[in-house]
Amino acid sequence: MAQYAACPAFQLGRPRYDQSTFLGRLRHFVAIIDPSTLFVSEKRLRECVKLLDDFQHGTLPPGVTDRQLWEAQKVKQAIIHPDTGEKIFMPFRMSGYVPFGTPIVVGLLLPNQTVVSTIFWQWLNQSHNACVNYSNRNATKPTPTSTFLQGYFGAVTSAVSLAVGLNVLIQRANRLSPATQIIIQRLIPFPAVASANICNVGLMRHNELSEGIDVLDGNGNVVGSSKIAAKHAIMETAFTRVVLPMPIFVLPPIIMSYLEKLPFLQTNRRLLLPIHSLVCLATFSLSLPLAISLFPQMSQIEVSQLEPEIAMATNSKVVTYNKGL
């Protein structure tokens, strides 16, 4: 009973948890990336959207609880883009990032990579990232297809080039012991992926820097389009994309280097790949909510930091913008 009593009063469009604290943002994004929302039916989604519309228009049927309204908003936010109002394709939702991204992470961290396999897994990873970045961008302004392709090819090129280059350097480092070479080879994907992620976000969302993004006052009204807010949004998103792969690509190689020495796994080598996959899944599931919780999705910025025309268009001291995920 105490759990139900703790449910706060529903506020449409407002997060259930305090977004000014890291813990509040973490609880919010854990709900948003809940993989169970991938299995929500079209009928259930329509019911959630209708429930929220009924609340907005004051026509809620009797007996609807705050908990039901929060759950409906969670489902809508996990599936529908806040700017376009359209469904995000399942593999590219944030709730699908871990389930669809874990097999790619496992592939990136496989030992004894050849040049061909390195290129393949880096290409696949950045293809997935490009689609996730595009699908969860700030979409208050249209993004040309050419911008998407530019970001895609830029990210893939940077990731493949750095990964292959580092692999070649390690192979030529004859002074290192074979065990050390294996560990370093397994750590190579991190700098390659981190640098490519920055490139990916910057190029995929470069259009926002030239066009600006909408900023909203306290009542949710658009007061103008700001290039400065767009710069903040892209920098914050890029930073999360550097933090995100850090535990994913650093912890599993270290953990596996110890597990592989266990007598049980020495005699059951077939279990290495399943255990490796579980380790990657665990670290990915942990790092995603931690990374995206560094900043609120709907970020705030003081009007005094923005363009003069924004300050002239509103009496608000602080405005809000969709940072994107």
Side-chain angles (χ1 to χ4, degrees), residues 98-138:
V98 172
F100 289 97
T102 298
I104 300 174
V105 172
V106 173
L108 284 166
L109 292 175
L110 289 174
N112 303 317
Q113 295 268 13
T114 64
V115 172
V116 174
S117 64
T118 297
I119 293 174
F120 171 76
W121 288 113
Q122 290 289 349
W123 163 77
L124 189 60
N125 182 54
Q126 289 307 320
S127 297
H128 184 237
N129 284 344
C131 293
V132 170
N133 288 338
Y134 181 80
S135 299
N136 295 278
R137 72 197 185 283
N138 179 302

Side-chain angles (χ1 to χ4, degrees), residues 105 247-249 251-252 255 278-288:
V105 172
I248 299 174
F249 292 108
L251 292 180
I255 294 172
L278 289 175
V279 171
C280 291
L281 177 62
T283 53
F284 202 168
S285 300
L286 176 66
S287 63
L288 178 59

Side-chain angles (χ1 to χ4, degrees), residues 92-286:
F92 309 142
R93 298 173 194 165
M94 294 310 293
S95 56
Y97 206 6
V98 172
F100 289 97
T102 298
I104 300 174
V105 172
V106 173
L108 284 166
L109 292 175
L110 289 174
N112 303 317
Q113 295 268 13
T114 64
V115 172
V116 174
S117 64
T118 297
I119 293 174
F120 171 76
W121 288 113
Q122 290 289 349
W123 163 77
L124 189 60
N125 182 54
Q126 289 307 320
S127 297
H128 184 237
N129 284 344
C131 293
V132 170
N133 288 338
Y134 181 80
S135 299
N136 295 278
R137 72 197 185 283
N138 179 302
T140 55
K141 296 290 187 295
T143 302
T145 305
S146 59
T147 302
F148 172 83
L149 294 175
Q150 181 185 23
Y152 172 73
F153 287 114
V156 169
T157 301
S158 63
V160 171
S161 300
L162 186 55
V164 172
L166 289 173
N167 267 320
V168 171
L169 287 176
I170 295 302
Q171 290 172 1
R172 293 181 178 178
N174 297 324
R175 295 180 181 179
L176 299 177
S177 66
T180 304
Q181 286 188 11
I182 290 175
I183 293 175
I184 294 178
Q185 282 176 339
R186 289 182 173 180
L187 293 174
I188 281 175
F190 170 65
V193 169
S195 61
N197 284 353
I198 296 174
C199 179
N200 199 319
V201 172
L203 292 175
M204 289 293 296
R205 299 179 57 177
H206 184 265
N207 191 57
E208 296 174 27
L209 293 174
S210 57
E211 299 290 335
I213 59 175
D214 288 349
V215 292
L216 315 173
D217 62 17
N219 298 319
N221 300 314
V222 178
V223 298
S225 185
S226 172
K227 297 179 182 178
I228 296 176
K231 181 180 178 182
H232 279 263
I234 292 173
M235 288 177 61
E236 290 171 354
T237 305
F239 183 74
T240 64
R241 292 299 193 273
V242 173
V243 174
L244 174 60
M246 196 176 297
I248 299 174
F249 292 108
V250 172
L251 292 180
I254 296 174
I255 294 172
M256 290 305 298
S257 66
Y258 285 101
L259 292 181
E260 289 171 356
K261 297 176 183 177
L262 296 177
F264 174 74
L265 289 179
Q266 289 286 339
T267 56
N268 296 273
R269 307 295 292 180
R270 290 178 297 178
L271 295 177
L272 281 175
L273 184 57
I275 291 176
H276 186 195
S277 302
L278 289 175
V279 171
C280 291
L281 177 62
T283 53
F284 202 168
S285 300
L286 176 66

Side-chain angles (χ1 to χ4, degrees), residues 51 60-69:
L51 198 62
L60 268 181
V64 176
T65 65
D66 287 319
R67 187 170 297 277
Q68 288 175 301
L69 289 167

